[in-house]
Amino acid sequence: MSFMRKFLDELRDTESALSRYIRKLWCDPRSGAQQPYVIQEPATPRELQVLETLGGRDLLSIYTVCNGLILCAPGQYRGLLIYAIDEIPAGNEYWKAWFDDLEEDELWDFQKHGLAFGEILESGNYLVAYGGQVYFADHEGAEMDEPWAASVNEFFDRIAHEPDEYLDRML
């Protein structure tokens, strides 16, 4: 079973640490049961080709399982968004616009060659894949030069098993 399938199983399991965390964060018991996430259908073979063309080979393991993911309850504005493949070019363009005024030698390698594949809603912060690693591109520049996870697999594993610590740092 792929790591992404395991992550989605953790998300759906109401007893998992991840599920309990996001329900505590985003579900108001007074308003009835809410599902604090949206999981898109897997990407099509054509969409996966587009992802590879964009330079997202490291992200294939996500998109073969789901073409986008939102961890955020309806009506909430703070959450985690993993772009659908057709949203990646625009998200990447918005992220790269941050440093249009910088010279090439002022950029980290992940800023030059990375691919934004998600964002923290309403924050201006992005998730960037580069060299098999995941970077958290904080719009204030904090901790940007070090990867947040050694792989996409580790990134989702940490969210699933350390949500209080890992998501709190991002959100």
Side-chain angles (χ1 to χ4, degrees), residues 101-121:
D101 58 339
L102 297 176
E103 298 296 324
E104 182 86 4
D105 63 348
E106 296 177 287
L107 300 174
W108 288 299
D109 285 344
F110 88 93
Q111 290 174 311
K112 296 176 195 174
H113 310 292
L115 185 66
F117 68 96
E119 67 182 76
I120 307 306
L121 297 172

Side-chain angles (χ1 to χ4, degrees), residues 76-79 119-125 139:
Q76 299 290 318
Y77 298 103
R78 191 177 89 177
E119 67 182 76
I120 307 306
L121 297 172
E122 300 296 318
S123 73
N125 298 332
H139 72 282

Side-chain angles (χ1 to χ4, degrees), residues 3 60 133:
F3 77 87
L60 287 172
Q133 300 174 323

Side-chain angles (χ1 to χ4, degrees), residues 137-151:
D138 185 318
H139 72 282
E140 295 174 355
E143 302 182 39
M144 284 181 52
D145 59 334
E146 294 293 323
W148 265 51
S151 67

Side-chain angles (χ1 to χ4, degrees), residues 48-104:
L48 294 172
Q49 279 183 315
V50 169
L51 180 64
E52 284 196 74
T53 302
L54 293 171
R57 177 174 289 272
D58 295 333
L59 302 170
L60 287 172
S61 53
I62 297 170
Y63 292 96
T64 57
V65 176
C66 68
N67 187 9
L69 171 70
I70 302 171
L71 296 182
C72 181
Q76 299 290 318
Y77 298 103
R78 191 177 89 177
L80 174 68
L81 169 66
I82 303 300
Y83 300 134
I85 291 170
D86 65 352
E87 298 170 326
I88 290 175
N92 205 52
E93 188 176 311
Y94 290 133
W95 169 59
K96 290 199 178 238
W98 282 3
F99 37 88
D100 277 347
D101 58 339
L102 297 176
E103 298 296 324
E104 182 86 4

